[in-house]
Amino acid sequence: MKQPASTPSTENQPLRLPARGRNRPQAVAETIKDWIIENGLAPGDRLPQEHQLIAHLGVSKGTVREALRVLETQGLIRTRTGPGGGAFITELGADHASALLANHFFFKEISIAHIYELRIALEPQLVFDLAPHITEEQIDELRRRMSVYTAPPASIEEERQQRVAELEFHEALAGFSDNPLLGFTCGFLVRLLKDLTVCKRIYGQPNPELRERGLSYQEQLISALRAGDADEARAIMQAHMRAAQRIMLAQEAQVTKAFLTIGDR
Amino acid sequence: MKQPASTPSTENQPLRLPARGRNRPQAVAETIKDWIIENGLAPGDRLPQEHQLIAHLGVSKGTVREALRVLETQGLIRTRTGPGGGAFITELGADHASALLANHFFFKEISIAHIYELRIALEPQLVFDLAPHITEEQIDELRRRMSVYTAPPASIEEERQQRVAELEFHEALAGFSDNPLLGFTCGFLVRLLKDLTVCKRIYGQPNPELRERGLSYQEQLISALRAGDADEARAIMQAHMRAAQRIMLAQEAQVTKAFLTIGDR
DNA sequence: AGATATTTGTTCGTATGTATT
DNA sequence: TAATACATACGAACAAATATC
């Protein structure tokens, strides 16, 4: 088992070759990833244990651990200690994925206008698709979220909470989408706005207009969704987005570099 | 001389408290990240060296290395060996970000229809914004990419290359966008399609119709862009996307689980 | 071109923490 | 409570890469 390390030549290729050339941990992570794909592992399945990976891959404990950390950062696995523990395949959740993606925009200059340009293009389409499929339970959830801001806010803090709740209304809507790409993108945009809200870099002063118009729009939207009227839902959302954009832009400041902390489990 | 410890204000507060409690590497990664934000480090700046991090954070070498690996996976740093080496802040490129994001869709069922629903909603808007700003150099680059597929393909392999080149036409277009969110999203969608093309899971047989119509549309598009006619450019792209969608859907198969390997530097 | 110093990269032995039985 | 199985963490030694002289 012990190797006298005096074999400097290319070693004894233990099963799958560890793909030398780059940094080992990344290469090992890739190898494990390929192995996951080939064996068709699904979320919940367990990877081989550390010492087995060490043996099969022909690398040391530290390298394997770094590789697992890479996969964990990518959201592919989670590890648990104790008997029966180990690394388990997991699904990369939308929030974690958003956090990873947000890093890409960290050094870019993102404005409210940029975000709303996409929301205007996508959210009307989102509700258009949703109208024929939406369930009663989903509508109930939307109503439940709306209930947070039916009454005017009493304090500046409550104002902020209501804004967050309204954004979460849209986040829930995005989560209902049948199109994972559309749903994720809309959710990501909302999360960007929500993060800005939490950071209090915007929504400085009360804005009753935004709240009331939003509430009215959402009532109409839910009616249209319940009726299964896709065209009407799209039209309402379009008007809602345009109105919100106008209000937001009026009090916008250039917003940058607040994104790195998004999510950050 | 090693450190300019003479600066009394910011630099003398080396690192924050080690944030014990959770798994150490992640906690350490967070601490380093916070430190990066607080000190306003920009791409190209260097992090403290390994042994300094070890000393300041009070953790072992292995833990620091895992933390750095986390940050590297997130696309935040790159490391180099040798004198003057170390960990350097870097910008998360669109391709790397796409690869990270693609993991989120690995266990979801993504179809061509899903991709085109977003392309139809976004790419017309993309060229609409672009028309007033586009430069001659950018138009030249578009023309250069088009030149790859002006002639009909001689082989099935050339057919594939032409398809990739046409997708890269759209990728270039996305890269010109003033809106980073819009640009990235359009680029990501194209990368998904490109990956499918490379994997040869689609585009099995020649499709002269797609090529010729695409070529014609792109000629028109470039004319409109040069003229700065935003409305016309948008209309052309809309028609182009709809036509492409029709053709693609005709020969589509359900496409799943080919995304994990995207990019994979 | 080659020697050397600097810095990250890799390995191994050992010890600790944690969850299951 | 104890025993077991697993990940987690530490530290020292060694290897590889690379800039500078």
Short mmCIF file of all heavy atoms in Angstrom, two decimals, chain D residues 7-18:
data_model
loop_
_atom_site.label_atom_id
_atom_site.label_comp_id
_atom_site.label_asym_id
_atom_site.label_seq_id
_atom_site.Cartn_x
_atom_site.Cartn_y
_atom_site.Cartn_z
P DA D 7 -16.11 10.22 4.47
OP1 DA D 7 -16.65 10.35 3.11
OP2 DA D 7 -14.80 9.62 4.67
"O5'" DA D 7 -16.15 11.63 5.18
"C5'" DA D 7 -17.37 12.37 5.17
"C4'" DA D 7 -17.30 13.50 6.20
"O4'" DA D 7 -16.73 13.01 7.42
"C3'" DA D 7 -16.46 14.70 5.77
"O3'" DA D 7 -17.12 15.88 6.18
"C2'" DA D 7 -15.15 14.48 6.52
"C1'" DA D 7 -15.62 13.80 7.80
N9 DA D 7 -14.61 12.93 8.40
C8 DA D 7 -14.12 11.77 7.89
N7 DA D 7 -13.22 11.19 8.65
C5 DA D 7 -13.12 12.04 9.73
C6 DA D 7 -12.33 12.00 10.90
N6 DA D 7 -11.45 11.01 11.16
N1 DA D 7 -12.46 13.01 11.78
C2 DA D 7 -13.33 13.99 11.51
N3 DA D 7 -14.13 14.14 10.46
C4 DA D 7 -13.97 13.12 9.60
P DT D 8 -16.57 17.27 5.69
OP1 DT D 8 -17.69 18.23 5.75
OP2 DT D 8 -15.82 17.06 4.46
"O5'" DT D 8 -15.53 17.64 6.84
"C5'" DT D 8 -16.03 18.07 8.10
"C4'" DT D 8 -14.87 18.43 8.99
"O4'" DT D 8 -14.08 17.26 9.27
"C3'" DT D 8 -13.89 19.46 8.39
"O3'" DT D 8 -13.93 20.61 9.21
"C2'" DT D 8 -12.55 18.75 8.39
"C1'" DT D 8 -12.75 17.68 9.44
N1 DT D 8 -11.90 16.47 9.31
C2 DT D 8 -11.03 16.15 10.32
O2 DT D 8 -10.90 16.83 11.32
N3 DT D 8 -10.28 15.01 10.10
C4 DT D 8 -10.34 14.17 9.01
O4 DT D 8 -9.63 13.17 8.94
C5 DT D 8 -11.29 14.55 8.00
C7 DT D 8 -11.43 13.70 6.77
C6 DT D 8 -12.01 15.67 8.19
P DA D 9 -13.14 21.92 8.82
OP1 DA D 9 -13.81 23.08 9.42
OP2 DA D 9 -12.90 21.84 7.36
"O5'" DA D 9 -11.74 21.75 9.56
"C5'" DA D 9 -11.72 21.67 10.98
"C4'" DA D 9 -10.32 21.37 11.44
"O4'" DA D 9 -9.98 20.03 11.05
"C3'" DA D 9 -9.24 22.28 10.82
"O3'" DA D 9 -8.68 23.07 11.88
"C2'" DA D 9 -8.22 21.30 10.22
"C1'" DA D 9 -8.59 19.97 10.88
N9 DA D 9 -8.31 18.78 10.06
C8 DA D 9 -8.86 18.47 8.85
N7 DA D 9 -8.43 17.33 8.35
C5 DA D 9 -7.53 16.87 9.28
C6 DA D 9 -6.72 15.72 9.34
N6 DA D 9 -6.71 14.79 8.39
N1 DA D 9 -5.94 15.56 10.43
C2 DA D 9 -5.96 16.51 11.39
N3 DA D 9 -6.67 17.62 11.43
C4 DA D 9 -7.45 17.75 10.35
P DC D 10 -7.63 24.18 11.50
OP1 DC D 10 -7.81 25.25 12.51
OP2 DC D 10 -7.68 24.50 10.07
"O5'" DC D 10 -6.25 23.45 11.81
"C5'" DC D 10 -6.07 22.89 13.11
"C4'" DC D 10 -4.79 22.09 13.16
"O4'" DC D 10 -4.94 20.91 12.34
"C3'" DC D 10 -3.56 22.84 12.63
"O3'" DC D 10 -2.62 22.98 13.67
"C2'" DC D 10 -3.03 21.95 11.49
"C1'" DC D 10 -3.67 20.60 11.80
N1 DC D 10 -3.91 19.77 10.59
C2 DC D 10 -3.23 18.55 10.46
O2 DC D 10 -2.43 18.20 11.33
N3 DC D 10 -3.46 17.79 9.35
C4 DC D 10 -4.32 18.20 8.42
N4 DC D 10 -4.52 17.41 7.38
C5 DC D 10 -5.03 19.43 8.56
C6 DC D 10 -4.79 20.18 9.64
P DG D 11 -1.42 24.01 13.50
OP1 DG D 11 -1.15 24.53 14.85
OP2 DG D 11 -1.73 24.93 12.39
"O5'" DG D 11 -0.19 23.11 13.04
"C5'" DG D 11 0.13 21.95 13.78
"C4'" DG D 11 1.23 21.18 13.09
"O4'" DG D 11 0.67 20.37 12.02
"C3'" DG D 11 2.29 22.07 12.42
"O3'" DG D 11 3.56 21.48 12.67
"C2'" DG D 11 1.93 22.01 10.93
"C1'" DG D 11 1.39 20.59 10.82
N9 DG D 11 0.48 20.38 9.70
C8 DG D 11 -0.43 21.26 9.19
N7 DG D 11 -1.11 20.78 8.18
C5 DG D 11 -0.61 19.49 8.02
C6 DG D 11 -0.97 18.48 7.08
O6 DG D 11 -1.82 18.54 6.19
N1 DG D 11 -0.22 17.33 7.27
C2 DG D 11 0.74 17.15 8.23
N2 DG D 11 1.36 15.97 8.26
N3 DG D 11 1.09 18.10 9.12
C4 DG D 11 0.37 19.23 8.95
P DA D 12 4.83 22.37 12.64
OP1 DA D 12 5.21 22.66 14.03
OP2 DA D 12 4.64 23.47 11.67
"O5'" DA D 12 5.87 21.35 12.02
"C5'" DA D 12 5.74 19.95 12.30
"C4'" DA D 12 6.15 19.15 11.08
"O4'" DA D 12 5.04 19.08 10.15
"C3'" DA D 12 7.33 19.74 10.30
"O3'" DA D 12 8.25 18.72 9.98
"C2'" DA D 12 6.67 20.32 9.05
"C1'" DA D 12 5.53 19.32 8.86
N9 DA D 12 4.45 19.81 8.02
C8 DA D 12 3.86 21.04 8.08
N7 DA D 12 2.90 21.21 7.20
C5 DA D 12 2.85 20.00 6.51
C6 DA D 12 2.05 19.54 5.46
N6 DA D 12 1.10 20.28 4.88
N1 DA D 12 2.26 18.28 5.01
C2 DA D 12 3.21 17.54 5.59
N3 DA D 12 4.03 17.87 6.60
C4 DA D 12 3.79 19.13 7.02
P DA D 13 9.73 19.09 9.56
OP1 DA D 13 10.60 18.50 10.59
OP2 DA D 13 9.79 20.54 9.26
"O5'" DA D 13 9.93 18.30 8.19
"C5'" DA D 13 9.43 16.98 8.09
"C4'" DA D 13 9.06 16.69 6.66
"O4'" DA D 13 7.87 17.45 6.32
"C3'" DA D 13 10.13 17.10 5.63
"O3'" DA D 13 10.48 15.98 4.85
"C2'" DA D 13 9.43 18.19 4.79
"C1'" DA D 13 7.96 17.82 4.96
N9 DA D 13 7.03 18.92 4.71
C8 DA D 13 7.01 20.15 5.30
N7 DA D 13 6.06 20.93 4.86
C5 DA D 13 5.40 20.15 3.92
C6 DA D 13 4.29 20.40 3.09
N6 DA D 13 3.62 21.55 3.09
N1 DA D 13 3.89 19.41 2.26
C2 DA D 13 4.56 18.25 2.28
N3 DA D 13 5.62 17.89 3.01
C4 DA D 13 5.99 18.90 3.82
P DC D 14 11.72 16.03 3.88
OP1 DC D 14 12.40 14.74 4.03
OP2 DC D 14 12.44 17.29 4.12
"O5'" DC D 14 11.05 16.09 2.43
"C5'" DC D 14 10.03 15.16 2.11
"C4'" DC D 14 9.27 15.65 0.90
"O4'" DC D 14 8.48 16.81 1.23
"C3'" DC D 14 10.16 16.06 -0.29
"O3'" DC D 14 9.71 15.35 -1.43
"C2'" DC D 14 9.90 17.57 -0.43
"C1'" DC D 14 8.47 17.66 0.10
N1 DC D 14 8.03 19.01 0.54
C2 DC D 14 6.88 19.55 -0.02
O2 DC D 14 6.25 18.91 -0.87
N3 DC D 14 6.47 20.79 0.38
C4 DC D 14 7.16 21.46 1.29
N4 DC D 14 6.71 22.65 1.65
C5 DC D 14 8.34 20.92 1.88
C6 DC D 14 8.74 19.70 1.48
P DA D 15 10.63 15.23 -2.72
OP1 DA D 15 10.77 13.81 -3.07
OP2 DA D 15 11.82 16.08 -2.50
"O5'" DA D 15 9.72 15.91 -3.85
"C5'" DA D 15 8.35 15.52 -3.94
"C4'" DA D 15 7.61 16.50 -4.84
"O4'" DA D 15 7.29 17.70 -4.09
"C3'" DA D 15 8.39 16.95 -6.07
"O3'" DA D 15 7.55 16.80 -7.20
"C2'" DA D 15 8.72 18.42 -5.78
"C1'" DA D 15 7.55 18.83 -4.90
N9 DA D 15 7.83 19.94 -4.00
C8 DA D 15 8.80 20.02 -3.03
N7 DA D 15 8.79 21.15 -2.37
C5 DA D 15 7.74 21.87 -2.93
C6 DA D 15 7.21 23.15 -2.66
N6 DA D 15 7.70 23.95 -1.73
N1 DA D 15 6.16 23.55 -3.41
C2 DA D 15 5.68 22.73 -4.35
N3 DA D 15 6.10 21.51 -4.69
C4 DA D 15 7.14 21.14 -3.94
P DA D 16 8.13 16.92 -8.68
OP1 DA D 16 7.53 15.83 -9.48
OP2 DA D 16 9.59 17.10 -8.62
"O5'" DA D 16 7.47 18.29 -9.15
"C5'" DA D 16 6.06 18.44 -9.07
"C4'" DA D 16 5.69 19.89 -9.34
"O4'" DA D 16 6.12 20.71 -8.22
"C3'" DA D 16 6.33 20.49 -10.59
"O3'" DA D 16 5.34 21.19 -11.30
"C2'" DA D 16 7.39 21.44 -10.03
"C1'" DA D 16 6.72 21.88 -8.73
N9 DA D 16 7.63 22.38 -7.71
C8 DA D 16 8.75 21.76 -7.23
N7 DA D 16 9.37 22.44 -6.29
C5 DA D 16 8.61 23.57 -6.14
C6 DA D 16 8.73 24.70 -5.31
N6 DA D 16 9.71 24.86 -4.42
N1 DA D 16 7.78 25.66 -5.41
C2 DA D 16 6.79 25.50 -6.29
N3 DA D 16 6.57 24.49 -7.13
C4 DA D 16 7.52 23.55 -7.01
P DA D 17 5.55 21.52 -12.84
OP1 DA D 17 4.38 20.99 -13.58
OP2 DA D 17 6.93 21.15 -13.24
"O5'" DA D 17 5.43 23.11 -12.83
"C5'" DA D 17 4.29 23.71 -12.24
"C4'" DA D 17 4.61 25.13 -11.82
"O4'" DA D 17 5.57 25.12 -10.74
"C3'" DA D 17 5.21 26.00 -12.93
"O3'" DA D 17 4.46 27.19 -12.99
"C2'" DA D 17 6.65 26.25 -12.46
"C1'" DA D 17 6.46 26.19 -10.95
N9 DA D 17 7.68 25.92 -10.17
C8 DA D 17 8.49 24.83 -10.26
N7 DA D 17 9.50 24.85 -9.40
C5 DA D 17 9.31 26.03 -8.71
C6 DA D 17 10.04 26.64 -7.67
N6 DA D 17 11.14 26.11 -7.11
N1 DA D 17 9.58 27.82 -7.19
C2 DA D 17 8.47 28.34 -7.74
N3 DA D 17 7.71 27.87 -8.71
C4 DA D 17 8.19 26.70 -9.16
P DT D 18 4.37 28.02 -14.39
OP1 DT D 18 2.99 28.46 -14.57
OP2 DT D 18 5.08 27.25 -15.44
"O5'" DT D 18 5.26 29.29 -14.02
"C5'" DT D 18 4.93 30.03 -12.85
"C4'" DT D 18 6.06 30.96 -12.47
"O4'" DT D 18 7.06 30.24 -11.69
"C3'" DT D 18 6.83 31.57 -13.65
"O3'" DT D 18 7.06 32.93 -13.35
"C2'" DT D 18 8.15 30.79 -13.63
"C1'" DT D 18 8.32 30.71 -12.11
N1 DT D 18 9.37 29.77 -11.63
C2 DT D 18 10.09 30.14 -10.51
O2 DT D 18 9.90 31.18 -9.91
N3 DT D 18 11.05 29.23 -10.12
C4 DT D 18 11.36 28.03 -10.74
O4 DT D 18 12.24 27.32 -10.30
C5 DT D 18 10.57 27.73 -11.89
C7 DT D 18 10.82 26.44 -12.63
C6 DT D 18 9.63 28.60 -12.28
#
